[in-house]
Each structure stands twice: as structure tokens, then as C-alpha cells.
Amino acid sequence: MRRSFALLFAFYLAASPAWAQKDEIPEPECDGSTTQMVECVASIAERWDKRLNAAYQKALKDAVSTAQRDQLRVAHRLWVRYRDANCEYYALGEGTISRLEAASCLHDMTKSRALELEGGGKN
């Protein structure tokens, strides 16, 4: 079961550039050992984290009022806590595949939030 998940995940990452929107970060194939796959997914997540931070800063700047800006800060801090706690759940699983599941969680959630903020919350 875990091996099939790893193969499915590797296929997902390999196929994702074909489905990616033109403004998304090109994502390389992440294959090899579990350790190599985790490192690859983590590096992609780091790039999305940078994009998320830029989108967050722009959203703060574009807020129409102090109240909206303050609420974005509150919501974003809570979202980061949720993301980290949610992905830690996967990290605490059994076996080395749990590291890949946790890295995938961080990648997916960070990417989703970055795209959401870039879209002005319309996603």
C-alpha cells in the first residue's frame, strides 16, 4: 500500500508540470529513494513558501482597511499553525513513507494558500 502511494505520488509530481498553469512554479520530477523524493518535494515546497510570503505581503499592502489587514494577519497566523499541525500528523506515521507524506502535505497546502492569496481570496 505504501509503495503504491509512493509510486502514485511520483507520477503525480512527474505529471504536474503538464497540468500546471503558466504562472505556477515548474516542478521537477521527484523520483529515486524515499530520502531523495522527500528532499525534492521539500525544495519545491520551499519555493512555494517564498511565493506564499510574497503573496501575503502583497495582500497586506493591498488591504482596503486596517481592520482587513489585521484580520489577514490573524487568519494567516492561524493558517500557518493549522498547516504545520496538519502536516505533523503525517510526519508521525509509521515508516519512511511518513516523511514523504508530510513533505507532500507541506507542498500541497503551501501551494494552495499561495494561489489563494494571489487570487485575492477568490480560489
Side-chain angles (χ1 to χ4, degrees):
M1 170 80 172
R2 290 184 189 263
R3 179 153 172 80
S4 60
F5 172 79
L7 292 173
L8 181 62
F9 183 74
F11 173 76
Y12 160 77
L13 286 178
S16 63
W19 299 332
Q21 296 176 3
K22 64 180 178 181
D23 62 338
E24 289 188 15
I25 296 170
E27 296 182 0
E29 291 185 34
C30 291
D31 55 5
S33 69
T34 303
T35 300
Q36 291 168 326
M37 291 171 64
V38 169
E39 289 171 359
C40 179
V41 173
S43 72
I44 297 168
E46 285 177 29
R47 293 189 319 196
W48 276 106
D49 192 56
K50 288 177 184 173
R51 186 162 163 178
L52 169 61
N53 289 330
Y56 172 67
Q57 291 303 317
K58 183 174 183 330
L60 283 173
K61 180 182 164 205
D62 293 347
V64 296
S65 66
T66 301
Q68 187 183 38
R69 186 176 307 107
D70 291 345
Q71 186 58 37
L72 176 60
R73 280 189 186 104
V74 168
H76 192 69
R77 287 175 183 154
L78 288 171
W79 177 85
V80 168
R81 289 179 57 198
Y82 168 71
R83 179 200 60 187
D84 292 350
N86 187 53
C87 296
E88 182 66 16
Y89 163 79
Y90 295 102
L92 295 173
E94 292 185 18
T96 57
I97 197 70
S98 64
R99 293 178 49 225
L100 184 56
E101 292 171 337
S104 174
C105 177
L106 281 170
H107 166 263
D108 293 343
M109 291 186 74
T110 302
K111 177 180 178 178
S112 177
R113 179 68 172 163
L115 293 174
E116 175 187 357
L117 288 177
E118 289 174 349
K122 298 173 190 161
N123 293 337

